[in-house]
mmCIF file of all heavy atoms in Angstrom:
data_model
loop_
_atom_site.group_PDB
_atom_site.id
_atom_site.type_symbol
_atom_site.label_atom_id
_atom_site.label_comp_id
_atom_site.label_asym_id
_atom_site.label_seq_id
_atom_site.Cartn_x
_atom_site.Cartn_y
_atom_site.Cartn_z
ATOM 1 N N PHE K 23 -45.411 37.764 21.552
ATOM 2 C CA PHE K 23 -45.618 39.120 20.922
ATOM 3 C C PHE K 23 -44.511 39.413 19.861
ATOM 4 O O PHE K 23 -44.916 39.892 18.765
ATOM 5 C CB PHE K 23 -45.497 40.173 22.057
ATOM 6 C CG PHE K 23 -45.901 41.607 21.572
ATOM 7 C CD1 PHE K 23 -47.050 41.939 21.105
ATOM 8 C CD2 PHE K 23 -44.853 42.522 21.651
ATOM 9 C CE1 PHE K 23 -47.342 43.132 20.669
ATOM 10 C CE2 PHE K 23 -45.125 43.857 21.251
ATOM 11 C CZ PHE K 23 -46.379 44.109 20.741
ATOM 12 N N ILE K 26 -45.503 37.396 16.746
ATOM 13 C CA ILE K 26 -46.536 38.022 15.965
ATOM 14 C C ILE K 26 -46.060 39.272 15.249
ATOM 15 O O ILE K 26 -46.365 39.424 14.021
ATOM 16 C CB ILE K 26 -47.754 38.420 16.975
ATOM 17 C CG1 ILE K 26 -48.334 37.072 17.399
ATOM 18 C CG2 ILE K 26 -48.738 39.271 16.197
ATOM 19 C CD1 ILE K 26 -49.322 37.269 18.601
ATOM 20 N N ALA K 29 -44.048 38.195 12.143
ATOM 21 C CA ALA K 29 -44.838 37.596 11.158
ATOM 22 C C ALA K 29 -45.665 38.692 10.277
ATOM 23 O O ALA K 29 -46.010 38.411 9.144
ATOM 24 C CB ALA K 29 -45.810 36.618 11.676
ATOM 25 N N VAL K 30 -45.905 39.811 10.845
ATOM 26 C CA VAL K 30 -46.654 40.924 10.257
ATOM 27 C C VAL K 30 -45.979 41.346 8.933
ATOM 28 O O VAL K 30 -46.644 41.513 7.923
ATOM 29 C CB VAL K 30 -46.707 42.131 11.216
ATOM 30 C CG1 VAL K 30 -47.243 43.339 10.461
ATOM 31 C CG2 VAL K 30 -47.754 41.852 12.323
ATOM 32 N N VAL K 33 -47.058 38.718 6.314
ATOM 33 C CA VAL K 33 -48.364 38.763 6.015
ATOM 34 C C VAL K 33 -48.647 40.012 5.171
ATOM 35 O O VAL K 33 -49.324 40.043 4.137
ATOM 36 C CB VAL K 33 -49.262 38.781 7.249
ATOM 37 C CG1 VAL K 33 -50.663 39.064 6.970
ATOM 38 C CG2 VAL K 33 -49.120 37.484 8.045
ATOM 39 N N GLY K 36 -47.039 39.809 1.559
ATOM 40 C CA GLY K 36 -47.780 38.861 0.677
ATOM 41 C C GLY K 36 -49.160 39.439 0.351
ATOM 42 O O GLY K 36 -49.542 39.250 -0.848
ATOM 43 N N LYS K 39 -48.623 41.895 -2.474
ATOM 44 C CA LYS K 39 -48.414 41.195 -3.691
ATOM 45 C C LYS K 39 -49.719 40.758 -4.331
ATOM 46 O O LYS K 39 -49.954 40.779 -5.588
ATOM 47 C CB LYS K 39 -47.484 40.034 -3.527
ATOM 48 C CG LYS K 39 -46.036 40.413 -3.355
ATOM 49 C CD LYS K 39 -45.192 39.229 -3.037
ATOM 50 C CE LYS K 39 -43.769 39.578 -2.845
ATOM 51 N NZ LYS K 39 -43.360 40.246 -1.601
ATOM 52 N N ALA K 52 -39.282 41.021 -14.895
ATOM 53 C CA ALA K 52 -38.015 41.767 -15.158
ATOM 54 C C ALA K 52 -36.761 41.052 -14.555
ATOM 55 O O ALA K 52 -35.687 41.298 -15.036
ATOM 56 C CB ALA K 52 -38.160 43.199 -14.672
ATOM 57 N N VAL K 54 -36.538 37.496 -13.211
ATOM 58 C CA VAL K 54 -36.410 36.135 -13.260
ATOM 59 C C VAL K 54 -36.815 35.583 -14.702
ATOM 60 O O VAL K 54 -37.786 35.921 -15.325
ATOM 61 C CB VAL K 54 -37.471 35.438 -12.286
ATOM 62 C CG1 VAL K 54 -37.371 33.908 -12.318
ATOM 63 C CG2 VAL K 54 -37.259 35.914 -10.860
ATOM 64 N N ALA K 55 -35.725 34.886 -15.187
ATOM 65 C CA ALA K 55 -35.909 34.223 -16.548
ATOM 66 C C ALA K 55 -36.212 32.770 -16.335
ATOM 67 O O ALA K 55 -35.598 32.023 -15.561
ATOM 68 C CB ALA K 55 -34.687 34.354 -17.327
ATOM 69 N N PRO K 57 -36.080 29.040 -17.345
ATOM 70 C CA PRO K 57 -35.060 28.308 -17.956
ATOM 71 C C PRO K 57 -35.722 27.639 -19.207
ATOM 72 O O PRO K 57 -36.918 27.254 -19.288
ATOM 73 C CB PRO K 57 -34.627 27.177 -17.100
ATOM 74 C CG PRO K 57 -34.929 27.677 -15.715
ATOM 75 C CD PRO K 57 -36.073 28.620 -15.816
ATOM 76 N N ALA K 65 -45.483 26.760 -20.683
ATOM 77 C CA ALA K 65 -46.389 27.092 -21.774
ATOM 78 C C ALA K 65 -47.768 26.306 -21.671
ATOM 79 O O ALA K 65 -48.780 26.942 -21.866
ATOM 80 C CB ALA K 65 -45.758 26.882 -23.191
ATOM 81 N N GLU K 68 -49.607 27.809 -18.655
ATOM 82 C CA GLU K 68 -50.134 29.119 -19.051
ATOM 83 C C GLU K 68 -51.390 28.996 -19.896
ATOM 84 O O GLU K 68 -52.319 29.632 -19.772
ATOM 85 C CB GLU K 68 -49.121 29.888 -19.840
ATOM 86 C CG GLU K 68 -48.047 30.451 -18.944
ATOM 87 C CD GLU K 68 -46.842 31.167 -19.826
ATOM 88 O OE1 GLU K 68 -46.950 31.158 -21.004
ATOM 89 O OE2 GLU K 68 -45.978 31.816 -19.124
ATOM 90 N N MET K 70 -53.421 26.400 -19.777
ATOM 91 C CA MET K 70 -54.490 25.851 -18.877
ATOM 92 C C MET K 70 -55.164 26.877 -18.001
ATOM 93 O O MET K 70 -56.339 26.911 -17.836
ATOM 94 C CB MET K 70 -53.944 24.735 -18.115
ATOM 95 C CG MET K 70 -53.787 23.369 -18.768
ATOM 96 S SD MET K 70 -53.288 21.946 -17.797
ATOM 97 C CE MET K 70 -52.363 22.709 -16.428
ATOM 98 N N ILE K 81 -49.007 35.170 -7.636
ATOM 99 C CA ILE K 81 -50.062 34.681 -6.812
ATOM 100 C C ILE K 81 -49.488 33.651 -5.732
ATOM 101 O O ILE K 81 -49.881 33.785 -4.527
ATOM 102 C CB ILE K 81 -51.146 34.111 -7.584
ATOM 103 C CG1 ILE K 81 -51.878 35.239 -8.454
ATOM 104 C CG2 ILE K 81 -52.146 33.427 -6.737
ATOM 105 C CD1 ILE K 81 -52.862 34.732 -9.481
ATOM 106 N N ALA K 100 -44.374 26.101 13.193
ATOM 107 C CA ALA K 100 -43.560 27.241 13.021
ATOM 108 C C ALA K 100 -42.159 26.916 12.490
ATOM 109 O O ALA K 100 -41.577 27.615 11.663
ATOM 110 C CB ALA K 100 -43.423 27.918 14.408
ATOM 111 N N PHE K 103 -42.446 26.264 8.573
ATOM 112 C CA PHE K 103 -42.659 27.464 7.749
ATOM 113 C C PHE K 103 -41.390 28.362 7.976
ATOM 114 O O PHE K 103 -41.156 29.142 7.026
ATOM 115 C CB PHE K 103 -43.938 28.105 8.150
ATOM 116 C CG PHE K 103 -45.107 27.485 7.507
ATOM 117 C CD1 PHE K 103 -45.975 26.547 8.200
ATOM 118 C CD2 PHE K 103 -45.362 27.654 6.141
ATOM 119 C CE1 PHE K 103 -46.947 26.000 7.545
ATOM 120 C CE2 PHE K 103 -46.452 27.125 5.512
ATOM 121 C CZ PHE K 103 -47.255 26.201 6.243
ATOM 122 N N VAL K 113 -33.545 33.037 -1.732
ATOM 123 C CA VAL K 113 -33.760 33.110 -3.065
ATOM 124 C C VAL K 113 -34.203 34.471 -3.505
ATOM 125 O O VAL K 113 -33.720 35.062 -4.532
ATOM 126 C CB VAL K 113 -34.809 32.013 -3.549
ATOM 127 C CG1 VAL K 113 -35.214 32.227 -5.078
ATOM 128 C CG2 VAL K 113 -34.275 30.614 -3.411
ATOM 129 N N ALA K 114 -35.081 35.118 -2.872
ATOM 130 C CA ALA K 114 -35.656 36.333 -3.199
ATOM 131 C C ALA K 114 -34.441 37.424 -3.123
ATOM 132 O O ALA K 114 -34.375 38.356 -3.920
ATOM 133 C CB ALA K 114 -36.622 36.818 -2.223
ATOM 134 N N VAL K 143 -33.401 36.366 7.880
ATOM 135 C CA VAL K 143 -32.995 34.871 7.821
ATOM 136 C C VAL K 143 -32.418 34.465 9.220
ATOM 137 O O VAL K 143 -32.814 33.411 9.738
ATOM 138 C CB VAL K 143 -31.948 34.640 6.644
ATOM 139 C CG1 VAL K 143 -31.280 33.326 6.907
ATOM 140 C CG2 VAL K 143 -32.647 34.730 5.341
ATOM 141 N N ILE K 149 -36.409 31.092 15.052
ATOM 142 C CA ILE K 149 -37.677 30.580 15.198
ATOM 143 C C ILE K 149 -37.648 29.003 14.812
ATOM 144 O O ILE K 149 -38.325 28.134 15.433
ATOM 145 C CB ILE K 149 -38.705 31.243 14.203
ATOM 146 C CG1 ILE K 149 -38.928 32.685 14.804
ATOM 147 C CG2 ILE K 149 -40.075 30.509 14.083
ATOM 148 C CD1 ILE K 149 -39.661 33.623 13.861
ATOM 149 N N GLY K 151 -35.125 27.104 15.248
ATOM 150 C CA GLY K 151 -34.419 26.372 16.386
ATOM 151 C C GLY K 151 -35.249 26.336 17.536
ATOM 152 O O GLY K 151 -35.251 25.272 18.316
ATOM 153 N N TYR K 152 -35.958 27.397 17.898
ATOM 154 C CA TYR K 152 -36.824 27.367 19.084
ATOM 155 C C TYR K 152 -38.168 26.552 18.947
ATOM 156 O O TYR K 152 -38.636 25.964 19.781
ATOM 157 C CB TYR K 152 -37.103 28.902 19.356
ATOM 158 C CG TYR K 152 -37.671 29.146 20.745
ATOM 159 C CD1 TYR K 152 -36.968 28.836 21.886
ATOM 160 C CD2 TYR K 152 -39.049 29.492 20.987
ATOM 161 C CE1 TYR K 152 -37.436 29.075 23.206
ATOM 162 C CE2 TYR K 152 -39.535 29.667 22.163
ATOM 163 C CZ TYR K 152 -38.797 29.538 23.264
ATOM 164 O OH TYR K 152 -39.298 29.725 24.513
ATOM 165 N N PRO K 161 -33.670 18.428 25.720
ATOM 166 C CA PRO K 161 -33.134 19.734 25.608
ATOM 167 C C PRO K 161 -33.417 20.405 24.201
ATOM 168 O O PRO K 161 -33.394 19.617 23.244
ATOM 169 C CB PRO K 161 -31.631 19.547 25.863
ATOM 170 C CG PRO K 161 -31.427 18.091 25.709
ATOM 171 C CD PRO K 161 -32.727 17.414 25.935
ATOM 172 N N ALA K 162 -33.642 21.550 24.152
ATOM 173 C CA ALA K 162 -33.932 22.384 22.907
ATOM 174 C C ALA K 162 -32.792 22.359 21.844
ATOM 175 O O ALA K 162 -33.002 22.212 20.733
ATOM 176 C CB ALA K 162 -34.359 23.684 23.124
ATOM 177 N N TYR K 163 -31.555 22.410 22.422
ATOM 178 C CA TYR K 163 -30.385 22.504 21.431
ATOM 179 C C TYR K 163 -29.418 21.463 21.573
ATOM 180 O O TYR K 163 -28.395 21.474 20.864
ATOM 181 C CB TYR K 163 -29.707 23.834 21.625
ATOM 182 C CG TYR K 163 -30.638 25.005 21.366
ATOM 183 C CD1 TYR K 163 -31.173 25.764 22.446
ATOM 184 C CD2 TYR K 163 -31.061 25.330 20.162
ATOM 185 C CE1 TYR K 163 -32.000 26.743 22.227
ATOM 186 C CE2 TYR K 163 -31.902 26.372 19.924
ATOM 187 C CZ TYR K 163 -32.427 27.003 20.978
ATOM 188 O OH TYR K 163 -33.257 28.080 20.809
ATOM 189 N N ASP K 165 -26.459 19.027 23.399
ATOM 190 C CA ASP K 165 -25.186 19.387 23.991
ATOM 191 C C ASP K 165 -24.187 20.034 23.079
ATOM 192 O O ASP K 165 -23.443 19.409 22.377
ATOM 193 C CB ASP K 165 -24.489 18.007 24.517
ATOM 194 C CG ASP K 165 -25.311 17.193 25.517
ATOM 195 O OD1 ASP K 165 -25.996 17.994 26.325
ATOM 196 O OD2 ASP K 165 -25.326 16.073 25.565
#
Side-chain angles (χ1 to χ4, degrees):
F23 186 63
I26 292 168
V30 165
V33 173
K39 285 175 179 70
V54 179
E68 287 176 354
M70 287 187 327
I81 293 169
F103 281 100
V113 169
V143 167
I149 292 170
Y152 192 68
Y163 300 106
D165 296 327

